[in-house]
Amino acid sequence: MRTTASFLRILGFSVFGYILLDYVGTTGETSIFIEKPWMWVLFGAIILFYIAGEICVAALKGVLYKTLSPEAKQRYDQREAQEREKEFRWVKEKYRKSLGSKAIEEEHEIILDHNYDGIKELDNNLPPWWVYMFYGTIIFAAIYLIRFQVFKEYNQAEEYEIAVAAAKLEIEEWKKTAKDLVDINTVTFLADASDLNAGQSIFKTNCVACHKEDGGGGIGPNLTDPNWILGGGIKNVFKTISEGGRDGKGMIAWKTELSPAEMAQVASYVLTLEGTTPLEPKAPEGAIWVDPNAPEKGAPEIQEVVSDSTTVKITMNQ
């Protein structure tokens, strides 16, 4: 039986089926095989069904072949041999021509006169594909020489600088959306509702055992007052979450459990608890934290407001 043809039919059916399912089923930029992994099961089932069909047809042919008479088997074998000879004739012919060699029956035309201990040598031509590739390298070299040596388009150093500049721009664009690159030096307060909601979820999962759900404090300190043991502000809170609290009695370091983005989210959520009213607030610990980067308060501004016959001086703190 012609197993090569069967294999190619299965391969062609598989490729065509994959492309068809992907084209028909994909609605966005992501392939349907990624959006819906169960499609692989469906695709595999279809391929297995097709392979089973090929096997059944081959088995049926084998059964029928056994029922033929010797003369019919001979005719069938001759017909199969002719069909195999026709298979991929065009491919075989192109392959033979690409080698640039002579058929065995024609080798006598290219045998050289000399021989070595009875070993004769054929004067075969170089394979055409090799010759064409060699000509292509000559053309490429000529174009390269004119472009870079005659017209001086750019040199390797300039090409490197252009590539580095383009790569830096791509890195900066990538950093804008790569939240997991955040660290103690680059972390900022995340005010988006999605980030704060994510931080709240992380807090409820990991922090309520020590700080209570409303942040009032238990084993850990109260997070709703302005007092901080290791400093307030997004950078200090992020560092405390990442590296842990005081040695021996502080909380554990969460950098092995949470990603940098998650630590930034929960740190931002913790800062929103300040000023809220918990049910059972723990006594303040640490010192009131003042942001050193906050704008300085100016001198009191005194304004006079005249109401009827009374002048009232109001002090406006900036």
Side-chain angles (χ1 to χ4, degrees):
M1 305 305 167
R2 297 190 295 275
T3 55
T4 303
S6 298
F7 172 77
L8 291 178
R9 281 198 300 270
I10 293 171
L11 179 63
F13 180 82
S14 302
V15 173
F16 177 77
Y18 177 88
I19 295 173
L20 180 63
L21 287 174
D22 187 62
Y23 177 78
V24 174
T26 301
T27 56
E29 296 182 357
T30 306
S31 171
I32 190 174
F33 289 95
I34 298 177
E35 292 178 348
K36 301 177 181 179
W38 58 266
M39 285 297 297
W40 284 109
V41 178
L42 175 61
F43 179 66
I46 295 174
I47 299 303
L48 289 176
F49 182 78
Y50 185 80
I51 293 174
E54 288 281 339
I55 294 174
C56 289
V57 171
L60 181 61
K61 286 183 177 180
V63 172
L64 294 175
Y65 179 80
K66 292 179 180 179
T67 62
L68 298 176
S69 62
E71 295 79 9
K73 286 182 179 179
Q74 185 178 6
R75 290 194 299 270
Y76 180 82
D77 292 340
Q78 291 175 350
R79 188 165 61 251
E80 283 288 302
Q82 293 173 356
E83 291 294 331
R84 280 194 295 270
E85 183 67 24
K86 293 179 182 178
E87 278 184 349
F88 314 115
R89 178 177 292 178
W90 180 83
V91 176
K92 294 175 182 176
E93 184 66 21
K94 291 296 180 183
Y95 174 74
R96 188 185 65 79
K97 288 183 178 180
S98 70
L99 298 178
S101 58
K102 293 278 188 179
I104 295 178
E105 296 81 5
E106 301 172 354
E107 285 184 349
H108 64 277
E109 300 175 3
I110 56 173
I111 294 179
L112 297 176
D113 294 335
H114 60 270
N115 66 76
Y116 301 92
D117 295 332
I119 300 174
K120 296 183 179 181
E121 185 179 1
L122 298 177
D123 187 20
N124 279 312
N125 293 325
L126 288 170
W129 64 267
W130 192 97
V131 176
Y132 296 146
M133 186 173 66
F134 178 69
Y135 291 156
T137 59
I138 295 174
I139 296 171
F140 175 83
I143 295 174
Y144 187 92
L145 179 67
I146 294 171
R147 183 181 178 186
F148 295 104
Q149 298 299 323
V150 177
F151 293 103
K152 305 288 184 182
E153 185 169 340
Y154 58 84
N155 56 35
Q156 290 181 335
E158 293 171 340
E159 183 179 12
Y160 172 77
E161 292 174 359
I162 293 171
V164 169
K168 287 182 177 179
L169 291 176
E170 292 177 358
I171 291 172
E172 292 303 319
E173 288 295 321
W174 176 63
K175 283 183 177 180
K176 292 179 181 179
T177 56
K179 292 183 178 181
D180 275 347
L181 290 179
V182 67
D183 58 21
I184 184 63
N185 299 311
T186 60
V187 64
T188 57
F189 179 79
L190 304 175
D192 289 347
S194 60
D195 289 316
L196 294 177
N197 289 335
Q200 183 181 25
S201 177
I202 297 169
F203 184 87
K204 289 181 177 180
T205 302
N206 302 289
C207 310
V208 295
C210 296
H211 297 283
K212 293 187 179 179
E213 188 169 349
D214 57 7
I219 300 174
N222 186 348
L223 301 176
T224 65
D225 58 42
N227 293 57
W228 294 89
I229 299 173
L230 297 175
I234 188 65
K235 292 186 182 297
N236 287 322
V237 176
F238 180 90
K239 181 180 179 181
T240 303
I241 295 171
S242 174
E243 304 301 326
R246 296 164 292 176
D247 292 338
K249 56 181 178 180
M251 73 176 187
I252 64 170
W254 287 94
K255 60 185 177 182
T256 58
E257 303 292 332
L258 302 175
S259 68
E262 290 173 330
M263 290 189 291
Q265 290 170 335
V266 72
S268 299
Y269 173 72
V270 166
L271 292 178
T272 65
L273 295 175
E274 184 175 339
T276 59
T277 305
L279 292 176
E280 298 176 354
K282 189 178 180 180
E285 298 177 76
I288 294 177
W289 185 79
V290 179
D291 188 354
N293 298 319
E296 296 182 0
K297 293 183 178 180
E301 178 183 339
I302 300 177
Q303 295 182 352
E304 291 185 354
V305 179
V306 178
S307 176
D308 297 332
S309 60
T310 305
T311 300
V312 180
K313 290 185 177 181
I314 302 176
T315 302
M316 304 293 292
N317 288 327
Q318 295 181 345

